[in-house]
Amino acid sequence: MEDIRATLNTVARLQRERTALVGRATVRRGRVSVAVNADNVLVDLKFGRDVEDLDYPELARAVIEAAHAATAEVGRKSKELMQPLQDQRARLPKLSDLVPGMPNLRDQLPVPEPPPSTRPASGDRSAGAGEEFDGAEMMERRGPREPGVTDSGW
């Protein structure tokens, strides 16, 4: 029971510490910098000097590259942070050790596949294109000089 209490205390401490984790990355000679939190959510994006030298596709690739590097960093930090918990878990007896004939359920858990880190296929991006919705009204396309909902005169 003492080991279990120690493990629960470690879990509570690690949860608090995890919320403070931040991964940072800078790419393209300091032109693009990002920060992600422990949940890999982009929390900061900065453009440095000479960012205007990048065209839009290069800028988009730079943001993605920096985000990938920052998430890798926060993942590494998270793994390091959780290592004491993994060590404590390894010392605890398994249910199969306590109950004769019980299979080791941990070995039977499926290993999740990592999500893709590439751009969605072009077919996926237009999901929903051409769908019809109840109560939707089709709008006429406005000419380039006609004000619309995005007009700054609002």
Side-chain angles (χ1 to χ4, degrees), residues 14-81:
L14 293 176
Q15 285 176 335
R16 287 189 306 272
E17 291 178 19
R18 183 183 173 278
T19 61
L21 290 181
V22 175
R24 298 180 191 285
T26 300
V27 297
R28 307 289 158 90
R29 295 184 299 244
R31 292 179 183 155
V32 177
S33 299
V34 303
V36 298
N37 67 14
D39 292 330
N40 292 323
V41 173
L42 184 67
V43 293
D44 193 22
L45 171 62
K46 293 181 181 172
F47 299 120
R49 237 183 281 170
D50 300 326
V51 72
E52 62 273 358
D53 293 345
L54 301 175
D55 61 23
Y56 290 130
E58 290 173 317
L59 184 58
R61 282 191 301 274
V63 170
I64 291 170
E65 180 184 339
H68 283 197
T71 57
E73 180 188 0
V74 83
R76 180 188 51 74
K77 287 179 178 181
S78 184
K79 188 175 181 177
E80 287 174 9
L81 180 68

Side-chain angles (χ1 to χ4, degrees), residues 2 14 23 27 34 44-45 69 86 96 102 115-116 122 138 140 144 151:
E2 194 172 309
L14 293 176
V27 297
V34 303
D44 193 22
L45 171 62
Q86 298 303 326
S96 59
M102 174 67 92
S122 61
M138 294 301 294
E140 287 184 32
D151 182 48

